[in-house]
Amino acid sequence: GEIVKNGTPQKLLEDMENKVFEVLVTEDEQKQYEEMNYRIANIMFTAEKTCLRIISDETPKLGQVSVARPSLEDMYLYLVDE
């Protein structure tokens, strides 16, 4: 392995601010995100819609988008996919 980022957990999470989003989407919008190769960290299903946890440098455009609190897992997925 190789160390790609160093710092306290708090500092690492600060670097991830505004890069993690929760997006409520329809089935069609979910397919569009998958086709656009967004990093989808998690998919949660509700009765009517699906919530995607997306890791991205840019704010997603489809669906109901909200900024989410980043986790160390999000940071890991962000760095591994670079």
Side-chain angles (χ1 to χ4, degrees):
E2 174 184 337
I3 297 174
V4 294
K5 193 99 169 163
N6 196 4
T8 65
Q10 181 179 355
K11 175 63 177 143
L12 295 172
L13 292 177
E14 286 174 7
D15 293 346
M16 288 297 298
E17 285 183 19
N18 298 312
K19 294 183 180 184
V20 181
F21 305 90
E22 289 189 351
V23 186
L24 282 175
V25 295
T26 63
E27 188 176 327
D28 288 338
E29 290 168 333
Q30 178 182 348
K31 288 177 186 176
Q32 288 179 50
Y33 276 116
E34 291 168 352
E35 290 170 359
M36 291 186 284
N37 293 318
Y38 272 85
R39 277 176 265 175
I40 300 173
N42 195 353
I43 301 174
M44 297 167 278
F45 298 98
T46 65
E48 298 173 7
K49 290 202 173 193
T50 301
C51 182
L52 305 178
R53 187 169 181 93
I54 292 178
I55 302 169
S56 176
D57 289 321
E58 297 179 13
T59 303
K61 305 288 186 227
L62 300 173
Q64 294 175 295
V65 180
S66 61
V67 177
R69 171 178 272 160
S71 68
L72 290 175
E73 179 182 8
D74 295 324
M75 186 216 49
Y76 171 80
L77 292 172
Y78 179 80
L79 292 173
V80 166
D81 201 34
E82 283 189 331

